[in-house]
Amino acid sequence: MSTILTLISVFTQIAICAFGGGLATLPLIEYQLIVKTGWLTESDFAQILALSQVTPGPIAINAATFSGFQQAGVYGSIVSTATMVIVPMTILSLTLHALKNVSDEKNKKFKQYLRPLVSGLLTLSLLSPLKVTLNNGYRAIILFLIGLLLVNYVKFVREHTPYMLIAFGIIGILYL
Amino acid sequence: MSIWELFLFFFKISAVTFGGGLVILGIIEIEQEKRQDIAPEKFTDMISLAGSMPGPIAVSIAFLLGDYYQGRKGAIVSVLGVILPPFCIILVLSPFIIKYAHMPAVQGFFKGVLAATAALITMTVTKNVTNTLKTNLWNLIPFILVIAMIGLFNIHPLVAMIIAFAINIAREKVGGR
């Protein structure tokens, strides 16, 4: 029971701060699941990130479902996923109610203030996959560098990233 | 769209779309342009609102569109449509992943995917950060504050964000653009 309550508390805290979409949630998930609860190691977390990349759906939902399952089975995953959805949707519908009095100008201002914070969160989201890839040996680093070149210079790859993810996964099975 | 159409619309998009919320949002935009049953300004407002609210963007946009077509019921059904495919897929995969996580082949696969992911995130982040700083160089202060507080000092993200947000407002009130 206490695990379920912790899951609700953890994912409520993640959801409240989850401005700026999926990637920006990663440092929040990291903070709650690695630093605060100690449920995951850095490489567990990297694995969840990789998993969410090769399955459909928002990263935050994928992470909630998987780590919920890991901590408390099917109930855990239902509770975590539901929390990750219900909390922001409650905020959203309260805002919709209040919004009749809020001007478009104010909404724009709010977003403008939020922008550098989201950029900060995004930068933090990069640290974990980079750190773990660096620890995965020189072949993983070479693969990462090739990936960088591909997404920057090959339009097809940039527009069809799932192919690259799967291809790199297969290369990983063979060489990493 | 009827309730059932809303559910199917979001279920289908969510089930086949990889790469998270922004990609899903892009596809919803394309579909919406084809349907033409919602005013473009109204739709832009929804995207803008979804972007300034916490939570997965795909979920927020499903909520808003569902609410637009069919009220509260529509909102709930649309959100369910977006959530169910990824939820079921991860739920089915989780036990296997936990059981076989230590196998070299599984680890290799994830290591490869992670290298690709790191490359993709690097590109997204670089673009985002450059744009943010180009728009206004003063953004550098709250940007670095967030990174330092959460990344270096392990301050709770909510606290860190409130502090950085307040400083950002104060900075504008005091002077800088």
Side-chain angles (χ1 to χ4, degrees):
Chain A
M1 191 59 206
S2 77
T3 319
I4 296 284
L5 288 180
T6 317
L7 279 171
I8 294 176
S9 143
V10 158
F11 281 99
T12 303
Q13 292 177 62
I14 293 173
I16 289 178
C17 306
F19 290 95
L23 282 182
T25 2
L26 292 180
L28 313 172
I29 298 174
E30 232 182 316
Y31 178 84
Q32 292 292 338
L33 299 185
I34 300 178
V35 179
K36 245 179 110 189
T37 55
W39 280 349
L40 300 180
T41 64
E42 191 97 46
S43 64
D44 289 339
F45 177 73
Q47 210 170 50
I48 295 181
L49 174 60
L51 175 68
S52 76
Q53 290 291 304
V54 290
T55 51
I59 294 177
I61 300 293
N62 293 158
T65 310
F66 184 78
S67 35
F69 184 87
Q70 214 177 18
Q71 296 310 319
V74 178
Y75 285 120
S77 60
I78 293 173
V79 166
S80 308
T81 312
T83 309
M84 197 63 217
V85 174
I86 291 171
V87 171
M89 290 314 103
T90 310
I91 297 176
L92 183 58
S93 66
L94 290 177
T95 314
L96 270 183
H97 262 284
L99 211 61
K100 282 153 200 157
N101 316 316
V102 178
S103 66
D104 196 39
E105 191 60 27
K106 273 200 179 138
N107 188 25
K108 266 200 196 123
K109 261 261 156 340
F110 178 71
K111 261 171 115 177
Q112 193 189 311
Y113 287 132
L114 206 57
R115 196 171 175 180
L117 315 194
V118 171
S119 294
L121 290 177
L122 286 177
T123 308
L124 287 168
S125 80
L126 185 55
L127 296 182
S128 170
L130 272 186
K131 241 192 288 176
V132 175
T133 296
L134 292 182
N135 278 332
N136 281 342
Y138 75 96
R139 283 174 167 170
I141 299 173
I142 292 172
L143 209 52
F144 162 70
L145 294 175
I146 294 173
L148 262 189
L149 289 176
L150 285 176
V151 287
N152 273 304
Y153 297 107
V154 185
K155 202 166 162 236
F156 177 84
V157 175
R158 200 161 45 227
E159 283 166 1
H160 301 87
T161 50
Y163 293 129
M164 173 167 120
L165 290 162
I166 299 291
F168 274 45
I170 294 169
I171 297 172
I173 296 177
L174 299 173
Y175 298 106
L176 292 179
Chain B
M1 277 194 268
S2 71
I3 295 263
W4 180 238
E5 275 175 321
L6 276 172
F7 178 78
L8 274 187
F9 179 76
F10 286 107
F11 187 92
K12 270 196 269 179
I13 291 179
S14 175
V16 296
T17 311
F18 294 81
L22 286 178
V23 183
I24 295 182
L25 184 62
I27 293 186
I28 293 175
E29 264 180 299
I30 293 168
E31 290 297 317
Q32 207 54 54
E33 268 165 35
K34 279 191 224 154
R35 305 181 61 88
Q36 300 247 326
D37 56 353
I38 187 166
E41 316 86 73
K42 180 84 194 152
F43 190 56
T44 316
D45 278 355
M46 285 182 189
I47 294 176
S48 165
L49 182 63
S52 60
M53 287 283 114
I57 288 177
V59 179
S60 304
I61 200 75
F63 183 93
L64 291 171
L65 273 177
D67 189 61
Y68 174 82
Y69 285 109
Q70 297 288 336
R72 276 300 114 92
K73 244 193 213 162
I76 293 171
V77 165
S78 304
V79 168
L80 278 179
V82 166
I83 296 304
L84 278 177
F87 175 74
C88 295
I89 292 170
I90 300 281
L91 196 60
V92 170
L93 287 179
S94 293
F96 295 102
I97 290 165
I98 291 170
K99 195 169 168 197
Y100 299 111
H102 57 276
M103 276 175 57
V106 177
Q107 290 206 339
F109 178 78
F110 281 129
K111 281 178 186 170
V113 174
L114 192 72
T117 305
L120 286 171
I121 301 183
T122 304
M123 189 184 67
T124 313
V125 171
T126 322
K127 256 196 215 152
N128 176 287
V129 171
T130 340
N131 279 332
T132 300
L133 297 183
K134 256 193 210 155
T135 324
N136 187 348
L137 203 56
W138 283 108
N139 278 338
L140 194 62
I141 299 171
F143 168 72
I144 289 178
L145 269 175
V146 165
I147 296 176
M149 282 190 281
I150 303 175
L152 290 178
F153 302 109
N154 283 336
I155 292 174
H156 192 292
L158 185 59
V159 177
M161 283 175 73
I162 291 172
I163 294 177
F165 195 82
I167 288 180
N168 202 7
I169 293 177
R171 198 262 313 142
E172 199 184 68
K173 291 268 145 61
V174 168
R177 196 164 56 84

